[in-house]
Amino acid sequence: IEPQEGTYPTIYLQGGPGQDTVVPMSESYERVIAPFIAERDFILFDQRGMGLSEPRLDCPNLKTVYQEDSDNEIPVHERETRYLDAFGECRDTLIGKGANLSAYTTLASAHDVKDVLLALGYDKANLFGVSYGTRLAQVVMREHPDVVNAAALDSVLPVDTKIYNESAASSQYALTTLFESCAADPACASAYPDLEREFLALVEELDQNPMRATVYLPDDETYRRNVDGLEFMNATLWALRQPELLSTVPQSIMRAKLGDANIIGTILAYPSQAVMDINLGAYLSINCREQVYATSAEEVGKDLAEYPDTEAVGLGWVYGDPELIFEFCDTWQIEGT
């Protein structure tokens, strides 16, 4: 690759952590890459542990357990053991292939960004980070400001954020924004005058009497699952992340209240597919070190309890028990935390 004279390239920093970059982004060439290429070089690279990099830290057995759990196929009393066994099995497989699970960190990836740029013959670049990629971009700027010309950060994850501690707070903020935005919009307020009250009542009702929903996956596969209040709230929060679904959220709440689970089934495919698309080994190595071990089970529980309406969502991030996420990370056995 010959650098373009007078124009700095843009290097794309993917989210996750654990999402592939080169293949999925290349499949969206016209929409994502072509506008940049018209003006400057555009660099894609797979962060260590994922995509085309070697070794890949895949955990197919852990994804199988997650899917079975999502399908309500794992008895509650077996859930913890099944996950811990899957974590340990994947760890042993990867270590057996020579992977050093402690070598996958945001700091290491930041060094990789500089190495990639220098190897390609560039002295500076523009950073384009999305979600977790914004965290990586911030670390690149902190550690290697000499290679950064400018940065664009989309959906910022600050370096000091504790995602597990703040999960209930961010969920409450998202829901409050939804309700206040609807109340401020004449058309929405007229169609759904008591959206917040209806939503909270429905969550409580579904906790008592879950609805059955058909989840529609991208490969035309479907499966049936129970949707309780927590699952419904999770589906609503996932819909708020999707531009194409955002305007349908108030309607989906009211349709669910009438017993129509079609929209909910469509939305529930998003978190399931997100997990399937994540390289879980890389995700664990990075998040155990930088998120889980940056806090404590007591601190997580205390922070979540400050938001009673969304505390259950926060507990869902730690598999229902703050202590359990620490057990998972201890099983992963990374060093240098």
Side-chain angles (χ1 to χ4, degrees):
I1 300 175
E2 292 295 330
Q4 296 180 8
E5 294 184 3
T7 303
Y8 291 115
T10 293
I11 185 168
Y12 183 79
L13 307 180
Q14 182 64 284
Q19 289 184 314
D20 296 353
T21 303
V22 175
V23 172
M25 292 289 286
S26 298
E27 292 172 348
S28 302
Y29 179 88
E30 292 299 330
R31 180 174 61 87
V32 178
I33 300 176
F36 286 93
I37 291 292
E39 298 181 355
R40 66 190 67 243
D41 290 343
F42 190 73
I43 304 169
L44 298 177
F45 82 106
D46 285 312
Q47 296 167 35
R48 56 174 60 195
M50 59 204 78
L52 301 177
S53 65
E54 296 180 1
R56 281 178 57 93
L57 302 189
D58 291 318
C59 289
N61 61 316
L62 184 54
K63 290 185 177 181
T64 298
V65 173
Y66 171 82
Q67 192 62 60
E68 291 175 351
D69 191 19
S70 297
D71 296 351
N72 304 123
E73 295 178 1
I74 300 178
V76 174
H77 68 280
E78 296 181 7
R79 190 167 181 258
E80 180 176 342
T81 299
R82 289 289 303 279
Y83 273 107
L84 286 170
D85 287 347
F87 273 60
E89 180 184 337
C90 184
R91 175 204 65 215
D92 292 344
T93 298
L94 293 175
I95 291 175
K97 293 179 179 180
N100 175 8
L101 300 182
S102 299
Y104 298 84
T105 68
T106 302
L107 180 60
S109 291
H111 297 329
D112 291 343
V113 170
K114 179 176 181 177
D115 290 343
V116 166
L117 292 174
L118 296 180
L120 293 176
Y122 303 106
D123 58 351
K124 286 181 180 289
N126 302 309
L127 310 180
F128 179 14
V130 175
S131 190
Y132 163 77
T134 67
R135 182 184 179 97
L136 174 55
Q138 291 168 77
V139 177
V140 174
M141 288 187 280
R142 183 189 71 198
E143 299 294 323
H144 303 293
D146 53 306
V147 301
V148 179
N149 178 60
L153 308 183
D154 182 355
S155 304
V156 179
L157 178 65
V159 291
D160 59 349
T161 294
K162 297 181 180 179
I163 57 174
Y164 299 104
N165 300 65
E166 299 175 20
S167 54
S170 60
S171 297
Q172 182 63 68
Y173 176 80
L175 291 174
T176 299
T177 300
L178 167 67
F179 302 138
E180 290 180 349
S181 297
C182 183
D185 181 270
C188 188
S190 176
Y192 314 106
D194 298 306
L195 187 62
E196 180 175 9
R197 182 179 61 81
E198 297 282 10
F199 175 81
L200 294 176
L202 180 56
V203 168
E204 184 175 350
E205 178 183 337
L206 290 175
D207 277 335
Q208 300 300 318
N209 300 292
M211 68 167 61
R212 290 288 285 174
T214 300
V215 181
Y216 302 94
L217 300 175
D219 53 8
D220 294 329
E221 291 186 8
T222 63
Y223 67 93
R224 299 275 289 171
R225 67 176 300 172
N226 290 328
V227 178
D228 59 14
L230 173 59
E231 286 298 328
F232 178 72
M233 187 177 290
N234 269 324
T236 302
L237 290 165
W238 269 95
L240 293 175
R241 303 179 185 183
Q242 314 302 323
E244 68 273 20
L245 296 177
L246 188 57
S247 62
T248 70
V249 173
Q251 183 186 49
S252 69
I253 293 171
M254 300 312 295
R255 285 176 62 175
K257 184 174 177 62
L258 297 174
D260 183 351
N262 285 330
I263 291 182
I264 301 304
T266 299
I267 296 171
L268 285 173
Y270 282 83
S272 179
Q273 191 59 40
V275 172
M276 294 300 109
D277 290 342
I278 285 286
N279 185 296
L280 292 179
Y283 179 90
L284 290 170
S285 286
I286 294 170
N287 273 348
C288 282
R289 178 194 301 270
E290 299 175 11
Q291 293 292 342
V292 176
Y293 291 143
T295 183
S296 67
E298 294 76 17
E299 185 180 350
V300 172
K302 176 178 175 296
D303 290 342
L304 299 184
E306 293 181 6
Y307 297 87
D309 286 344
T310 53
E311 180 181 8
V313 174
L315 287 171
W317 277 69
V318 292
Y319 294 84
D321 180 359
E323 294 282 356
L324 188 54
I325 194 69
F326 284 84
E327 289 187 49
F328 288 164
C329 288
D330 289 346
T331 299
W332 198 242
Q333 295 181 2
I334 57 172
E335 299 175 356
T337 54

